[in-house]
């Protein structure tokens, strides 16, 4: 894990890369995902403006005495990531070091932490001081997973567009609070 940690980047670098890929796509995927980069950047900027650290959650974090690190596997074009990664970084940054590993730069990391055999992101790795994995979280809060299961159970009754809309409304209202809460439970 230390090798992955050493290759990981700061949130500021993550945002810079997202802007670079949007403005000057260097791969076919970057060009194909242009709309998703635009959405991702907009959502991340909104989350950065609207996220408020919850003092009860900070007290919970302090009571856990967790001195490890937070490694987030992500990509800026991902809707789930754009809604949660900025909140997680903002919450943990003054207490635990946080870095982001770009999933598509080296699939060997995400392939160790598949979700239902998929490379779903974001995936949060809670690392102990010795870089061993204490726990993992992701790719979305429990409520988001419930919406996904509802969509998968009956896509005709609950179409993809409605699912995506409901998920984004949830993210906009929740502002990362559930993701933080669920990760705190794993510390």
């Amino acid at each position: 894990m230390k090798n992955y940690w050493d290759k990981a980047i700061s949130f500021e670098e993550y945002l810079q890369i997202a802007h670079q890929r949007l403005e000057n796509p260097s791969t076919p995927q970057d060009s194909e995902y242009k709309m998703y980069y635009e959405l991702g950047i907009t959502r991340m900027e909104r989350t950065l403006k609207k996220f408020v650290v919850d003092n009860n959650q900070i007290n919970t974090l302090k009571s856990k005495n967790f001195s490890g690190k937070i490694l987030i596997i992500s990509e800026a074009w991902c809707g789930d990531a754009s809604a949660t990664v900025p909140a997680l970084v903002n919450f943990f940054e003054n207490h635990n070091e946080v870095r982001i590993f770009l999933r598509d730069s080296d699939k060997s990391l995400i392939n160790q932490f598949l979700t239902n055999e998929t490379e779903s992101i974001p995936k949060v790795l809670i690392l102990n001081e010795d870089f061993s994995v204490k726990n993992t979280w992701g790719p979305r809060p429990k409520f988001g997973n419930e919406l996904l299961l509802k969509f998968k159970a009956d896509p005709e009754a609950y179409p993809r567009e409605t699912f995506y809309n409901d998920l984004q409304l949830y993210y906009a209202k929740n502002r990362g609070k559930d993701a933080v809460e669920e990760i705190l439970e794993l510390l």
Side-chain angles (χ1 to χ4, degrees):
M1 280 304 132
K2 179 155 184 352
N3 289 336
Y4 293 114
W5 178 263
D6 290 343
K7 292 178 187 174
I9 58 177
S10 70
F11 181 71
E12 290 74 25
E13 291 170 299
Y14 179 73
L15 268 179
Q16 288 173 349
I17 290 169
H19 281 283
Q20 288 169 354
R21 289 178 177 175
L22 173 64
E23 295 158 13
N24 299 303
S26 61
T27 68
Q29 179 176 316
D30 287 351
S31 297
E32 184 182 324
Y33 283 29
K34 183 175 176 130
M35 176 180 77
Y36 301 110
Y37 279 112
E38 274 182 308
L39 273 172
I41 291 167
T42 299
R43 289 173 179 157
M44 286 189 284
E45 289 172 350
R46 181 177 59 225
T47 300
L48 288 171
K49 286 180 192 167
K50 303 277 185 180
F51 180 77
V52 177
V53 174
D54 180 302
N55 286 329
N56 290 330
Q57 289 181 326
I58 288 294
N59 290 336
T60 299
L61 175 62
K62 288 178 181 177
S63 74
K64 299 277 186 166
N65 291 318
F66 175 69
S67 57
K69 301 173 184 328
I70 305 292
L71 180 60
I72 305 171
I73 307 169
S74 188
E75 288 289 342
W77 49 258
C78 173
D80 292 306
S82 62
T84 55
V85 170
L88 296 175
V89 170
N90 270 344
F91 180 79
F92 284 102
E93 69 183 346
N94 292 322
H95 306 278
N96 301 89
E97 197 173 352
V98 181
R99 290 192 188 171
I100 300 169
F101 188 88
L102 297 174
R103 182 195 74 176
D104 297 341
S105 70
D106 179 350
K107 298 278 184 108
S108 67
L109 181 57
I110 192 65
N111 285 328
Q112 297 174 54
F113 301 98
L114 299 177
T115 302
N116 299 323
E117 300 180 27
T118 67
E119 299 174 345
S120 299
I121 51 177
K123 195 70 162 191
V124 176
L125 308 181
I126 301 165
L127 304 176
N128 292 311
E129 290 179 67
D130 66 357
F131 293 95
S132 62
V133 178
K134 178 180 179 79
N135 222 325
T136 66
W137 176 92
R140 66 190 63 79
K142 290 174 187 160
F143 184 77
N145 283 330
E146 290 168 9
L147 292 176
L148 177 63
L149 291 174
K150 179 179 172 183
F151 161 69
K152 286 186 172 186
D154 192 353
E156 287 186 28
Y158 189 59
R160 181 179 304 273
E161 296 76 25
T162 305
F163 160 61
Y164 283 149
N165 187 58
D166 289 352
L167 185 62
Q168 288 309 316
L169 283 173
Y170 160 70
Y171 280 141
K173 288 178 184 174
N174 187 262
R175 297 189 177 121
K177 187 172 182 168
D178 287 350
V180 168
E181 190 67 35
E182 292 173 19
I183 292 168
L184 286 172
E185 290 172 12
L186 299 173
L187 294 181

